[in-house]
Each structure stands twice: as C-alpha cells, then as structure tokens.
Amino acid sequence: YVAEFRSQLSGIVAEETYRQELTSTSRLSNSLLVNPPRILKSDLLLIKPGDADRYVELRDVFEKDGEPVRDREARLEALLGDPSGTAGGRIADIIAESAKHNIGGIQRNINTPLMALQFLDAESQPRFRFRHVDKHKPVFKDERDKAINDTPVFRVSTEMWTIEYQERDRRTVIRQPNGRDLPAHGRFWINPSTGAVLISELILDGGGVIATVTVSYQSEPLMGFLVPIEMRETYIRPGERISGHAVYSKFRPIRK
C-alpha cells in the first residue's frame, strides 16, 4: 500500500497551513511564557530527484505570519523538470531554508506528514518490531491520546487494526543532531481490508526532547485516493514546549 501510495502522491503539490506555538519557562520566576504563534504557508511536495534513490518531502515556505518570504514562482515545477542532475542539492537548500522559519530552539526535521510511512517500506520493516494490538477503533488511554481523540479528523467509523512498532536496529533511520541513534516507536491505524494507513503516530524520545507527530489521512475527491489532511505535533524538553498544527488543502498535480 505504501509503495503505491507514494507513487500516486509523487508529483502532487498541496498547500500547507502550519501553526506553531511555543511555551517556555522563565528561568527567573519559573512562570510560563506564551509566545506569539507563527503561521507558515508552504507548498508541500513529495519528490524523487533523478540523482536520488528515495522520495523526499519538500516544504517550500512562501509566507510567514501573513508576509511573503519569497515570490511564489513555480520553482517546484522547475525542479521536476531539471535535467541537469543537480536537483538534489537544490532541494536540500530549500529544505534548509524553510526549516529556518520553525519557531523555538528545538532543532527538528521530522515535522513532515509522511515521515512515519517510510517505516512500512519493505526494506525498512526488518529494522522494526511490529505488534498487532487491536482490531477495532483507536483506543485512547492517556492525555496524549485524548488530544487526538478530541479532534474530528482523527475519528474514523471503519474497523481498524492498531499496529504498534518499535525500532530495534542500530544506525536508526532518524538521528540526533550529534549523529547518535534515535529509535522511533509509535502506532499505525490501518484498514485491514485495503492496507490503507488512516492514522500514523511517530514518537521519539532522546537528546532531552520528547517528540510526537500524528497524522490523519482522508479521501481527497479530486485525487481519488487518501491524502494527509492534518498533522499535529509536540516537542517537549525542560523549559520549552512546541506544538504544531498543520492542515493540507488545494491538492493538485504539478506540471513539469
């Protein structure tokens, strides 16, 4: 399912509206400081450069807090049509440029909706231990789950399998900024009749930060298949909490 899904979504661009909020603790008074939220608007694209062997999620920020950060020229189309073999380097530059707009002091690059799906790739599965824990609707047991359950797009009416996963190999897929391993764990909620991933959850706990990213997938009538519709995330370390909420709309094929 994931292989076919990536093939379907490749070359489809979506508009992302991404709200980030930062709460920090004052060192002097120990009181909470709530900072103004940051709202980013971006083009989001799944792309496989000609000089690469895997897909890359590309977030290209064009607006921050209502102000343009660049001309919204068709540079994504230019990347797809680049025959020079240098697209990979240009993509890395765009990703680095867009990451500079993230709020807070926690360095992160997992805040893209399809990140967890790579764990279901055939070549990645042996790195993980999977466990089938429930055949029914999502089971929400704690405050983290309650926040998800209170969101309409994370409720589904169909029967689902809940699959827990835990990364067990060294040289983990996601690494800490210093290069150390950062094992991933979490859950997938999967339609057993089609294999479709309806909800994904990614949890990382290392380097003093606990990160949780949860994504809901729903049908997009114009596309004819499921697409990521909403992403919710939290990053917590002593003195700092970052929360994010992204919604995706205006899905459209991108012209080469």
Side-chain angles (χ1 to χ4, degrees):
Y1 171 81
V2 170
E4 182 179 357
F5 172 79
R6 279 216 184 90
S7 177
Q8 290 174 322
L9 200 60
S10 179
I12 302 295
V13 66
E15 183 172 305
E16 178 188 65
T17 302
Y18 188 10
R19 179 185 177 94
Q20 300 182 7
E21 297 180 323
L22 168 65
T23 303
S24 54
T25 304
S26 170
R27 294 182 179 180
L28 298 177
S29 63
N30 206 36
S31 60
L32 292 180
L33 303 175
V34 180
N35 297 270
R38 175 163 296 171
I39 299 177
L40 304 175
K41 286 194 173 183
S42 311
D43 289 322
L44 190 77
L45 175 71
L46 183 68
I47 185 173
K48 188 175 183 180
D51 53 354
D53 58 359
R54 65 183 182 89
Y55 285 98
V56 177
E57 285 180 270
L58 176 61
R59 172 183 288 116
D60 195 5
V61 178
F62 60 82
E63 183 181 294
K64 180 175 74 173
D65 296 331
E67 297 293 331
V69 298
R70 63 171 175 84
D71 292 333
R72 198 178 180 186
E73 74 280 8
R75 68 175 174 181
L76 297 184
E77 288 90 338
L79 279 175
L80 285 178
D82 181 8
S84 66
T86 61
R90 295 167 63 193
I91 288 170
D93 290 343
I94 292 175
I95 291 174
E97 175 188 323
S98 295
K100 293 178 181 178
H101 299 296
N102 285 333
I103 198 170
I106 299 175
Q107 182 179 346
R108 56 198 187 275
N109 58 8
I110 64 168
N111 54 338
T112 55
L114 307 184
M115 176 65 70
L117 291 190
Q118 65 182 305
F119 306 152
L120 295 174
D121 287 338
E123 61 270 24
S124 296
Q125 288 181 20
R127 306 181 62 87
F128 293 83
R129 179 181 293 109
F130 295 90
R131 188 166 71 98
H132 183 190
V133 295
D134 190 71
K135 293 184 178 181
H136 305 289
K137 298 177 183 179
V139 178
F140 299 97
K141 299 177 180 178
D142 55 28
E143 289 302 314
R144 169 175 58 85
D145 284 340
K146 184 176 183 297
I148 299 171
N149 196 30
D150 286 343
T151 307
V153 299
F154 288 95
R155 300 186 192 128
V156 295
S157 58
T158 186
E159 177 187 343
M160 291 191 296
W161 284 7
T162 304
I163 306 296
E164 290 183 349
Y165 66 90
Q166 175 71 55
E167 191 170 10
R168 56 186 180 178
D169 280 11
R170 294 184 177 180
R171 302 295 298 177
T172 55
V173 174
I174 300 169
R175 314 298 295 277
Q176 297 182 39
N178 60 11
R180 293 181 179 177
D181 285 344
L182 188 56
H185 67 280
R187 291 169 291 182
F188 295 104
W189 286 270
I190 297 174
N191 184 329
S193 64
T194 65
V197 178
L198 303 177
I199 302 173
S200 68
E201 175 190 68
L202 167 62
I203 302 172
L204 299 167
D205 186 354
V209 177
I210 301 175
T212 303
V213 182
T214 310
V215 181
S216 172
Y217 295 84
Q218 293 187 0
S219 178
E220 165 53 50
L222 295 180
M223 297 293 103
F225 54 89
L226 297 183
V227 295
I229 202 73
E230 184 170 324
M231 177 180 73
R232 289 182 175 265
E233 57 180 352
T234 59
Y235 305 86
I236 301 172
R237 69 177 177 183
E240 186 176 16
R241 175 190 174 95
I242 298 170
S243 61
H245 176 211
V247 294
Y248 303 93
S249 61
K250 300 180 181 179
F251 290 87
R252 62 197 186 278
I254 193 169
R255 295 181 180 180
K256 298 183 181 182

